[in-house]
Amino acid sequence: MRLHRLEVCAFGPYATRQVVDFDALGADGLFLLHGDTGAGKTTLLDAVAFALFGTVPGARADARRLRCDLAQADLPTEVVLDLTVQGHRLRIQRSPEYERPKRRGTGYTKQQAKASLTWLTPPPDGGTAEAVTRSDEVARVVERLLGMNAHQFFQVVLLPQGEFARFLRADTRERAELLERLFGTERFAAVERWFSDLRRKRRAELDARRAGVRDWVARLAQVAGVEAPENADRAWAAELRAKAEADVATSRAAEKEARTAWEAARQRLQDRRLEDDRVRRVRAAHARLAEWERNEPQRARWRAELESARRAATVAELSAGTRVGDAEYERALAEESVAESECRELGFTEVQLDVDGVRRRAGELREEAGGLIGLVEQARRQETDRRRVAHLDEAIAYDSERIAVIQSKLDGLPERVAELTTQRELAIEAEARLGGIEAREEQLTALLRAAEALPELDRALVEAREVEVAATAAHNEARSALLDLRERRLAGMAAELARELVDGEGCPVCGSESHPAPAVATADAVSEEAERAAAEREVEADRRREAARVARYEAERSRDTAAERVGDRGVDDVAEELSQVRAERARIAEHAQRSASLAAAVRAAQEEEQRLLEERASHERSQGENSAERAVLVQSIEERARALDEAREEFPDVAARRDHLLSLGRALDRLADARAAVAVARQQRDERRRAVLDAATRAGYATLEDALAAVRSPERIAELDRLLRTAADEHAAAAGVLAEPELAGVSGDEDVDVASAEAAEREARERAEAAVATLRASERTAEDVRKLLRQLGTALAELEPAEQEFAELTALTDVFNGQGQNSRRMSLRSYVLAARLEEVAVAATARLRSMSQGRYSFVHSDQEDRVRTRGGHGLGLDVLDDYSGQVRSSKTLSGGESFIASLSLALGLADVVAAETGGALLDTLFVDEGFGTLDNETLDVVMGVLDELRAGGRVVGLVSHVDELRQRIPTRLRVRKSRTGSELVAGG
């Protein structure tokens, strides 16, 4: 994939249309994208990602706001990208969703997102070059051509150093998550889950089958009444069936014999019970008749008492009414006394008036109280007006106080506004001069660094030349040793061949099967291992010689570049001038920083003056209105007070007098009602007394007391009536029994033996019932045994193949999950991820050794973690320090070392992911920030690695604000920010 041209409009910080010509920038294979912080360097990479996939990397995608706020309303937000993928050139144009002003009327309307892909050459499938216009289809076409999705593209092409520094130090769980996303290994985790879920399901099914077998065995043993064996077999089941059938036959014979004996005993008992019943009935009838004759005097007394109680019932009812009348009369007298006391307490002395007089006096009092209603309302109004006057006095005093305070503030405001305006003008002038002085400070700072570094660069050059001479000498020595060893080994090659000769087998040189005089190794013979070791030492010495040569070249280039920039100026001269410029910049910056605050202070002072004038006018209006209202209320209060004093008399106020009159009127009404009730109660009491005396005489009693003594309760009357009827019924029943034909000839003196017959029948019945129960139980047991045996046989037949299948599934699942016969103890997913990480470590180590000058190498470990994490086993990634020969944790690397390690890891991962996904050749890479952590020497090495990338035909774009890179990379694109939006400046 190679990028040709990028065009952005109203996108991010770019308010106008900006164009990036990647063909021109990438002509040298390496270019720099630089600018101030926040200018929009990374936004250009976001634009590339948005054009391809419709989204941007990282957290910026969550904001969902891509339109520039500074753009003109009629300018569309869009990104246009020309690129070549797999030999096919295409153009992608996208616009995000955003709000734009309506063309008619006011307000905003939503501009829908749009996308299109145009084939500038025929598509790879050979079809027609029709444009793709759906956003999701454009993304799918891009993914198919690139061979990777958006997330993989962000990791492989837009190398995010911060993300890979975190990946380098991440724990195994986080590292596993990123590798799984990049390499798409979710299918292997899905295989693990599928086997685990299947095993869990099969185990549940097998446990259910086992439980079913155990349940059938337990139930069968329980039904048969035996102990359940641990392993039930068919012989045990056959014994249970034979025993159950034998028990049934024995029980059936015993039941038949017992039933016959019980029938005979039951018939004998029935005959004796019939005879005994006849004797008892005759004997009982004679006893009841004799008892009836003896109780005749008692029945006569019951009849007399019942007749007298029925005659006295009416007298008792009237007497109860007389007691009620007496109670009502007493209650009426008590109410009259209470009413008289209430009237006296309220000051009424004419309590001797009759009922009509009292009612007339109560009416007069109510009329008098009604005439005071209007004055009561005026009294309430009087209190309200007085509270209002007090509130107005407080408001008038508050307005006067606020007017004085506001006037004191207004007196000093004009001078303050004039002073702030003057200071604001000086700050604006300083702000205009600040840009030029800052640019001069940057130039002098870079020049001072170069001047200070020049002596060290001279020393480094001398050291590099010495190292190169030593490395060349070491290589020559290693090469001479290798040539010498090879010559000696060739001389002893015959002895090596002779050691492999075996009698009876042909010689590999002459073919003879006899070996009479094989060659013998001399004392100075050389082995193959010694020659291989010497060759490896020669290769290592050559690598060091080449590295020393490159280091010497880079030291010369760095020293010459610094000397050219410094010229004949000394460090002290540059430092003094830089100090003067910094002091001037600090002084101007201090004034410029106050510009915004002074402008705000001027506006605030002007706004405060206007606010104070408006507030003073408001208080003056309020004070005038309140004073006028108070004068009117005071006059009204004085006039109303005179009328209220006359109406209240000796009471505290008019309302109290009116309440007294109403209370006295209500008390007089109660007194009149009480006296009328007393008269009525007295008359009713006398009438009831006369009626009860007349009723006693008519009932045949001489006095009222005699009549009341004969009164009985309703329960007693019912009881007497029931006793008399019961006695008559008993006499008739006894006579009827003696008259029955079947009892003729029975005297009642016979003695029938029923107990012995009952005992015999009971014993026979119990034996028969026990025999029946035994038979039923044996039959039920035999039937249950037959049914359970059939169920047990079916369950055992189904269990055996399930056991075999589960054993095979368990073994396979354990292997996938890193258990059982899996010697590495790694799950399938961890194994795949570990293999991918190992490939990444190998690819990244080549660049890391070059960047670290042979010091560091990546070390991948598939040993089991001390703390097992899901999916993290086998994902260890540390570094080997060649200085100490020890493996170190990547977390111990410094900031610069972490950057080169992260960059190496990112480049290695880019190569592996591209190869894994089968994607197109990645001809364009972007490295975003991170160079500020490197020293000059390490930066030289990193730039050398990047030079190797572009030497392979790639275009590498660096995004950084490090000044040193501007001196090293001639092809640059600067992003310049301003209040009207950012813009691109080629070669800046």
Side-chain angles (χ1 to χ4, degrees):
M1 181 197 76
R2 179 177 293 275
L3 306 181
H4 300 294
R5 187 175 185 273
L6 174 67
E7 183 177 342
V8 296
C9 181
F11 186 85
Y14 300 100
T16 60
R17 190 173 298 275
Q18 303 292 322
V19 178
V20 180
D21 189 349
F22 287 111
D23 289 337
L25 289 174
D28 191 35
L30 183 67
F31 67 91
L32 174 67
L33 178 62
H34 69 99
D36 297 333
T37 301
K41 303 184 295 297
T42 304
T43 303
L44 294 178
L45 307 187
D46 291 345
V48 174
F50 177 73
L52 293 173
F53 300 100
T55 184
V56 296
R60 297 184 297 277
D62 299 333
R64 302 179 63 86
R65 182 177 176 85
L66 300 178
R67 179 170 175 81
C68 179
D69 295 330
L70 302 175
Q72 296 294 328
D74 57 347
L75 200 62
T77 298
E78 64 179 3
V79 175
V80 182
L81 178 65
D82 287 3
L83 71 159
T84 297
V85 184
Q86 296 184 359
H88 301 276
R89 183 156 180 167
L90 57 148
R91 175 175 298 161
I92 303 174
Q93 182 174 356
R94 283 187 186 268
S95 294
E97 180 182 284
Y98 62 92
E99 298 284 340
R100 64 168 178 80
K102 294 182 178 179
R103 294 186 176 90
R104 296 180 180 178
T106 60
Y108 289 83
T109 184
K110 181 180 292 185
Q111 182 70 37
Q112 298 297 330
K114 296 185 296 182
S116 67
L117 184 150
T118 304
W119 299 98
L120 303 181
T121 60
D125 56 4
T128 58
E130 296 181 358
V132 181
T133 58
R134 288 185 54 180
S135 179
D136 55 345
E137 292 183 0
V138 171
R140 283 196 295 270
V141 171
V142 172
E143 289 184 9
R144 186 175 68 252
L145 292 175
L146 294 179
M148 62 184 74
N149 57 28
H151 185 78
Q152 293 170 331
F153 181 83
F154 299 154
Q155 300 292 341
V156 173
V157 180
L158 310 179
L159 300 183
Q161 298 305 319
E163 291 291 331
F164 272 88
R166 184 160 63 251
F167 173 72
L168 182 65
R169 296 185 173 93
D171 56 28
T172 53
R173 180 182 59 80
E174 295 174 346
R175 190 172 292 144
E177 292 176 355
L178 178 59
L179 291 174
E180 190 170 50
R181 289 197 303 268
L182 290 176
F183 292 106
T185 59
E186 297 86 352
R187 60 188 183 277
F188 299 104
V191 170
E192 293 178 19
R193 290 193 300 272
W194 185 86
F195 272 95
S196 297
D197 293 343
L198 181 61
R199 180 172 62 178
R200 186 163 48 252
K201 179 181 178 182
R202 291 292 185 265
R203 178 184 288 113
E205 295 175 356
L206 183 60
D207 290 343
R209 294 182 186 275
R210 291 170 176 171
V213 171
R214 291 192 299 270
D215 183 57
W216 290 122
V217 171
R219 291 173 62 183
L220 182 58
Q222 181 181 7
V223 168
V226 297
E227 189 72 22
E230 294 184 0
N231 297 316
D233 54 9
R234 301 188 183 276
W236 176 76
E239 291 177 1
L240 292 181
R241 175 177 294 178
K243 181 179 179 299
E245 292 176 352
D247 291 343
V248 170
T250 303
S251 299
R252 184 174 290 112
E255 186 271 338
K256 182 178 181 181
E257 180 182 355
R259 187 171 62 251
T260 302
W262 179 39
E263 290 293 337
R266 187 168 55 182
Q267 185 61 41
R268 287 192 300 271
L269 176 60
Q270 184 177 0
D271 294 342
R272 289 191 181 182
R273 280 180 175 174
L274 181 60
E275 183 181 358
D276 182 66
D277 182 63
R278 291 172 181 172
V279 173
R280 284 189 297 101
R281 290 171 63 190
V282 171
R283 188 183 298 149
H286 286 301
R288 286 197 298 272
L289 289 176
E291 181 66 21
W292 187 84
E293 291 294 339
R294 285 193 300 270
N295 292 333
E296 178 59 29
Q298 179 66 36
R299 290 195 297 274
R301 288 192 297 272
W302 288 345
R303 282 191 291 271
E305 182 181 358
L306 179 60
E307 181 182 357
S308 178
R310 285 174 175 171
R311 286 187 289 111
T314 303
V315 178
E317 292 178 1
L318 294 176
S319 178
T322 301
R323 289 193 297 272
V324 173
D326 292 343
E328 290 179 354
Y329 178 66
E330 294 297 331
R331 186 166 51 256
L333 288 176
E335 291 179 357
E336 180 184 13
S337 177
V338 172
E340 288 180 357
S341 298
E342 185 178 0
C343 291
R344 289 191 180 94
E345 290 176 359
L346 292 174
F348 186 73
T349 59
E350 302 175 6
V351 294
Q352 71 279 3
L353 293 176
D354 57 7
V355 175
D356 294 337
V358 173
R359 293 190 186 280
R360 183 170 57 254
R361 184 59 180 146
E364 293 173 355
L365 292 175
R366 283 193 293 273
E367 291 179 0
E368 186 177 358
L372 295 177
I373 293 177
L375 293 175
V376 172
E377 182 61 30
Q378 291 186 14
R380 295 195 189 97
R381 180 63 182 173
Q382 186 80 338
E383 291 300 324
T384 302
D385 289 349
R386 285 174 178 169
R387 289 194 296 271
R388 178 60 180 167
V389 168
H391 177 72
L392 291 174
D393 289 340
E394 295 177 357
I396 291 170
Y398 173 75
D399 288 335
S400 299
E401 181 181 355
R402 289 301 302 163
I403 289 172
V405 171
I406 292 170
Q407 187 59 46
S408 65
K409 292 181 179 180
L410 286 171
D411 292 340
L413 271 179
E415 294 78 3
R416 180 183 172 191
V417 172
E419 181 181 358
L420 290 174
T421 303
T422 302
Q423 294 179 3
R424 163 66 173 156
E425 292 173 353
L426 294 175
I428 292 175
E429 181 180 354
E431 189 177 20
R433 297 175 54 197
L434 184 61
I437 198 70
E438 287 179 345
R440 179 57 181 164
E441 181 185 5
E442 292 178 1
Q443 295 174 359
L444 291 174
T445 300
L447 187 60
L448 178 60
R449 283 200 299 268
E452 292 174 344
L454 192 57
E456 181 63 28
L457 292 175
D458 289 336
R459 287 192 295 272
L461 178 57
V462 173
E463 293 175 358
R465 287 171 177 169
E466 294 174 353
V467 170
E468 183 182 12
V469 171
T472 301
H475 175 257
N476 292 334
E477 182 179 353
R479 184 168 182 79
S480 298
L482 174 62
L483 294 175
D484 179 62
L485 287 175
R486 281 180 176 171
E487 184 177 357
R488 289 162 57 193
R489 184 165 183 264
L490 290 174
M493 187 63 70
E496 285 190 22
L497 294 175
R499 283 200 301 268
E500 300 178 357
L501 295 177
V502 178
D503 291 337
E505 295 183 3
C507 175
V509 177
C510 64
S512 174
E513 296 182 357
S514 61
H515 318 292
V520 180
T522 60
D524 60 348
V526 178
S527 65
E528 182 181 0
E529 291 76 9
E531 182 187 7
R532 185 182 304 108
E536 292 176 354
R537 288 194 294 272
E538 190 274 337
V539 171
E540 179 63 20
D542 182 63
R543 185 191 65 78
R544 292 178 179 175
R545 178 181 61 81
E546 181 63 22
R549 185 190 65 78
V550 173
R552 186 263 307 162
Y553 168 75
E554 293 296 334
E556 288 180 349
R557 186 172 63 83
S558 299
R559 190 267 180 194
D560 294 343
T561 301
E564 181 181 356
R565 293 181 61 185
V566 173
D568 56 355
R569 303 183 65 177
V571 175
D572 295 337
D573 297 337
V574 177
E576 181 179 0
E577 184 178 357
L578 177 60
S579 177
Q580 296 174 357
V581 171
R582 285 177 175 172
E584 179 68 13
R585 193 263 303 162
R587 184 183 63 80
I588 294 176
E590 181 180 1
H591 287 288
Q593 289 175 355
R594 299 181 58 196
S595 176
S597 61
L598 289 173
V602 171
R603 290 193 300 271
Q606 294 173 347
E607 293 173 356
E608 182 181 6
E609 181 180 15
Q610 182 63 29
R611 180 183 60 79
L612 291 174
L613 291 174
E614 294 176 355
E615 186 177 356
R616 184 182 66 181
S618 175
H619 284 293
E620 289 175 349
R621 288 193 302 272
S622 175
Q623 186 181 36
E625 295 172 356
N626 292 337
S627 298
E629 182 181 358
R630 183 185 184 283
V632 174
L633 288 176
V634 169
Q635 182 179 0
S636 176
I637 289 171
E638 293 174 353
E639 294 176 355
R640 191 183 298 117
R642 290 190 291 270
L644 293 176
D645 289 341
E646 295 176 358
R648 68 183 179 84
E649 295 182 355
E650 73 277 7
F651 294 93
D653 52 33
V654 177
R657 183 186 172 201
R658 179 175 179 272
D659 293 340
H660 173 75
L661 293 175
L662 292 176
S663 299
L664 182 56
R666 289 191 293 271
L668 291 176
D669 287 337
R670 286 193 293 274
L671 178 59
D673 294 338
R675 287 182 174 174
V678 168
V680 173
R682 185 185 302 113
Q683 180 181 358
Q684 292 177 350
R685 181 197 61 179
D686 296 341
E687 291 177 354
R688 287 171 178 164
R689 287 180 177 179
R690 287 193 297 272
V692 72
L693 291 175
D694 292 342
T697 301
R698 286 194 301 272
Y701 296 101
T703 63
L704 176 61
E705 289 72 12
D706 294 340
L708 294 178
V711 174
R712 297 291 184 270
S713 66
E715 293 79 7
R716 178 60 180 169
I717 293 173
E719 181 183 5
L720 292 171
D721 187 61
R722 179 181 57 76
L723 290 173
L724 292 172
R725 286 198 306 271
T726 301
D729 293 341
E730 289 179 353
H731 182 272
V737 169
L738 294 176
E740 291 180 0
E742 63 178 4
L743 299 180
V746 179
S747 63
D749 298 331
E750 295 87 350
D751 189 8
V752 181
D753 185 9
V754 179
S756 61
E758 288 179 347
E761 187 273 338
R762 183 169 54 255
E763 182 179 356
R765 184 180 70 250
E766 291 175 353
R767 287 196 300 270
E769 290 175 352
V772 171
T774 302
L775 176 60
R776 297 290 182 268
S778 60
E779 290 176 345
R780 187 165 52 253
T781 299
E783 181 62 24
D784 291 343
V785 167
R786 287 192 293 271
K787 292 180 179 178
L788 293 175
L789 285 175
R790 290 195 297 270
Q791 298 292 344
L792 177 60
T794 303
L796 289 173
E798 295 176 353
L799 179 62
E800 294 175 358
E803 291 275 10
Q804 298 175 357
E805 179 184 355
F806 181 73
E808 296 176 358
L809 177 61
T810 298
L812 185 58
T813 303
D814 287 342
V815 171
F816 283 149
N817 291 330
Q819 301 171 356
Q821 300 178 8
N822 189 331
S823 59
R824 287 182 175 270
R825 298 303 183 195
M826 296 175 63
S827 66
L828 177 62
R829 171 172 168 267
S830 298
Y831 180 79
V832 174
L833 292 179
R836 296 294 183 265
L837 183 60
E838 186 175 8
E839 295 177 9
V840 172
V842 172
T845 295
R847 293 190 173 90
L848 178 59
R849 290 188 60 83
S850 178
M851 291 186 189
S852 63
Q853 301 181 22
R855 178 176 181 179
Y856 293 116
S857 302
F858 281 115
V859 178
H860 165 252
S861 173
D862 61 358
Q863 297 299 317
E864 185 173 2
D865 299 341
R866 293 181 180 178
V867 180
R868 291 293 301 272
T869 57
R870 182 183 180 275
H873 181 34
L875 298 182
L877 189 63
D878 296 319
V879 292
L880 173 62
D881 190 343
D882 190 59
Y883 287 3
S884 63
Q886 299 295 322
V887 176
R888 295 169 48 187
S889 171
S890 58
K891 297 180 181 179
T892 62
L893 297 176
S894 66
E897 290 172 339
S898 295
F899 170 72
I900 62 175
S902 300
L903 179 60
S904 302
L905 188 61
L907 294 173
L909 188 60
D911 294 339
V912 174
V913 170
E916 172 67 19
T917 58
L921 180 62
L922 303 177
D923 295 326
T924 305
L925 293 177
F926 293 94
V927 182
D928 189 0
E929 292 295 351
F931 296 94
T933 60
L934 304 180
D935 55 28
N936 290 333
E937 183 177 358
T938 306
L939 183 60
D940 291 340
V941 176
V942 172
M943 292 301 297
V945 173
L946 296 178
D947 283 339
E948 294 177 1
L949 291 177
R950 65 173 177 173
R954 289 181 175 178
V955 175
V956 181
L958 305 184
V959 181
S960 179
H961 58 275
V962 177
D963 294 336
E964 185 68 20
L965 293 179
R966 278 186 271 179
Q967 306 299 325
R968 296 172 177 269
I969 302 175
T971 305
R972 299 186 296 272
L973 179 64
R974 179 184 177 187
V975 182
R976 184 170 56 194
K977 66 179 180 180
S978 66
R979 293 181 178 274
T980 59
S982 299
E983 60 181 358
L984 303 177
V985 180

